[in-house]
Amino acid sequence: MNDVAHTPRKVINVVGAAIVRNGKVLCARRGEGRSLAGYWEFPGGKIEAHETAREALHREIEEELLCEVEVADEVCTSSYDYDFGTVILTTFVCHLISGTPRLTEHREIRWALPADMPGLDWAHVTPPYMDYWGVTA
């Protein structure tokens, strides 16, 4: 009998900010040299061991977009098994408190109507949020 040791998959807990302004949502395209480069996502990042999801989102938005948000409703949690591990994404609706989103890590950011978002090439873990706005991916 062959006993094959199974290495547990790496689990990466991340948060995303669906920043809403004037009926549009901020979408960010991942920069070159990063995993999933070129795919669209909601800005955010990894939850550190000492943080709650909301704390991580505040920190990530300040670091990535150089602005401050109010973290409002949790939209959904989704997961996807990539070759590098399982990503578990919790997405929150957010509102700008101060500053204007600026590029630091992303290739591009744009404000999109919810109906236009399915036309973007999203990272696989992202699309379940679309139900929140009543659009299909």
Side-chain angles (χ1 to χ4, degrees), residues 3 5 7 9 13 16-17 20 24-25 44 46 51 57-58 68 73 87 89 92-93 106 113 117 121 136:
D3 286 329
T7 304
R9 288 187 63 77
N13 291 295
V20 179
K24 294 184 177 182
V25 183
K46 292 180 186 172
E51 295 176 311
L57 198 51
H58 276 281
E68 186 178 356
D73 297 333
V87 174
L89 167 68
F92 293 86
V93 169
H106 292 92
L113 291 169
M117 292 190 299
D121 192 11
T136 55

Side-chain angles (χ1 to χ4, degrees), residues 73-128:
D73 297 333
E74 182 177 324
V75 175
C76 68
T77 298
S78 57
S79 65
Y80 190 83
D81 292 329
Y82 292 99
D83 59 352
F84 57 82
T86 300
V87 174
I88 301 174
L89 167 68
T90 303
T91 303
F92 293 86
V93 169
C94 296
H95 306 281
L96 279 175
I97 293 175
S98 66
T100 299
R102 292 184 290 197
L103 290 175
T104 62
E105 296 182 13
H106 292 92
R107 178 192 311 177
E108 178 183 353
I109 54 176
R110 74 169 67 155
W111 293 98
L113 291 169
D116 296 334
M117 292 190 299
L120 300 176
D121 192 11
W122 290 93
H124 296 294
V125 73
T126 308

Side-chain angles (χ1 to χ4, degrees), residues 36-48:
L36 306 173
Y39 284 100
W40 289 88
E41 66 177 1
F42 292 124
K46 292 180 186 172
I47 302 171
E48 301 294 338

